[in-house]
Amino acid sequence: MTSETPRRRRKALIWIVVLAVVVVLAVVAAVIATNVYTSNENAKASATPTVAASRAPSTLDTDDLSGEWTVGGDSEAGYRVHEVLNGSDVTVTGRTDSVSGTATVDGTNITAAEITVQVADIATDSDQRDSYFRDSAMDVSAFPTATFELTSPIADAVPSGDGTQRVEANGALTLHGVTKDVTATLEVGLNGDGVDISGTVPITFSDYDVQAPNLGFVQVDDAGAVEFLVHATPAG
């Protein structure tokens, strides 16, 4: 055996060690990058809409709130989903203020309501995600809106004073051209010239023929939620 053989072995061992270190560093860097991304994404997620405790004092005549109401300004709606990115949990929310609708109030009871959302206007912080959502998942060219229509009256839904009321609302949610019966949990409170109503509707996307993306490195749960906070004012 020549003296060159141990040298070659030492060189080979050194290269193996170097390559191992490089691989370990690459794995550590990937883990750190993924954790940083997921932390940033989770920080961007919008809070679940609620009727704020610091609402403006009501300017309505609360002795008689009966009549037709209009949903419009200061309203928002969107979605909340959970996705797994390279094994890390990420919460994603999309929002739009393109929300309209009507409601009928009889005393403190809401006897009818319909809310319409322009799905194409729902946006997150990612153009790529929004493009997939609009074109592939929701096909907004064929199904541009989502609607929630109340199917039974809500008794004692509108509180008086600065309190809030938590009620259950039975309705029909139309999404991606499919209509399903749903139950929304609502919080209602007077706010300035109208009433604020926040709500969450749990949904399963496949029930609406919506395919949750599965791209290997990122998987989106089939279950999510539709969320909204609407401001309604007397139509008159």
Side-chain angles (χ1 to χ4, degrees):
M1 180 181 297
T2 66
S3 60
E4 291 298 320
T5 300
R7 291 196 187 101
R8 284 196 295 268
R9 288 177 178 174
R10 284 196 296 272
K11 289 181 180 179
L13 180 60
I14 290 171
W15 278 112
I16 291 172
V17 171
V18 170
L19 288 174
V21 170
V22 169
V23 170
V24 169
L25 290 177
V27 171
V28 171
V31 170
I32 292 174
T34 299
N35 288 340
V36 169
Y37 173 81
T38 54
S39 296
N40 289 339
E41 289 300 298
N42 285 326
K44 294 174 185 176
S46 301
T48 301
T50 60
V51 175
S54 57
R55 302 184 311 278
S58 177
T59 59
L60 297 171
D61 178 5
T62 55
D63 291 334
D64 185 11
L65 300 174
S66 299
E68 299 301 313
W69 291 60
T70 301
V71 173
D74 298 323
S75 298
E76 68 171 21
Y79 66 84
R80 179 179 300 273
V81 297
H82 168 261
E83 68 180 27
V84 177
L85 174 68
N86 291 332
S88 297
D89 296 319
V90 177
T91 297
V92 176
T93 56
R95 294 287 185 264
T96 180
D97 59 5
S98 298
V99 181
S100 60
T102 59
T104 303
V105 177
D106 181 7
T108 60
N109 306 323
I110 301 177
T111 59
E114 183 171 352
I115 300 171
T116 299
V117 179
Q118 300 299 320
V119 178
D121 293 341
I122 297 176
T124 67
D125 64 306
S126 169
D127 291 339
Q128 184 178 6
R129 180 191 290 123
D130 295 342
S131 178
Y132 180 92
F133 173 80
R134 290 191 301 266
D135 301 331
S136 299
M138 302 304 298
D139 189 10
V140 297
S141 60
F143 311 107
T145 62
T147 62
F148 173 82
E149 183 176 3
L150 195 66
T151 54
S152 60
I154 310 173
D156 299 322
V158 183
S160 59
D162 58 2
T164 62
Q165 190 83 335
R166 189 173 289 270
V167 296
E168 298 290 311
N170 296 317
L173 176 65
T174 300
L175 187 70
H176 197 238
V178 178
T179 301
K180 295 285 185 180
D181 292 331
V182 297
T183 298
T185 301
L186 307 181
E187 185 181 12
V188 187
L190 300 178
N191 185 6
D193 62 348
V195 172
D196 281 352
I197 304 172
S198 64
T200 299
V201 182
I203 64 169
T204 300
F205 294 109
S206 56
D207 289 345
Y208 296 87
D209 295 335
V210 175
Q211 180 65 48
N214 184 346
L215 306 178
F217 66 95
V218 58
Q219 295 175 301
V220 178
D221 287 358
D222 188 37
V226 173
E227 301 177 332
F228 56 87
L229 173 61
V230 300
H231 185 69
T233 55

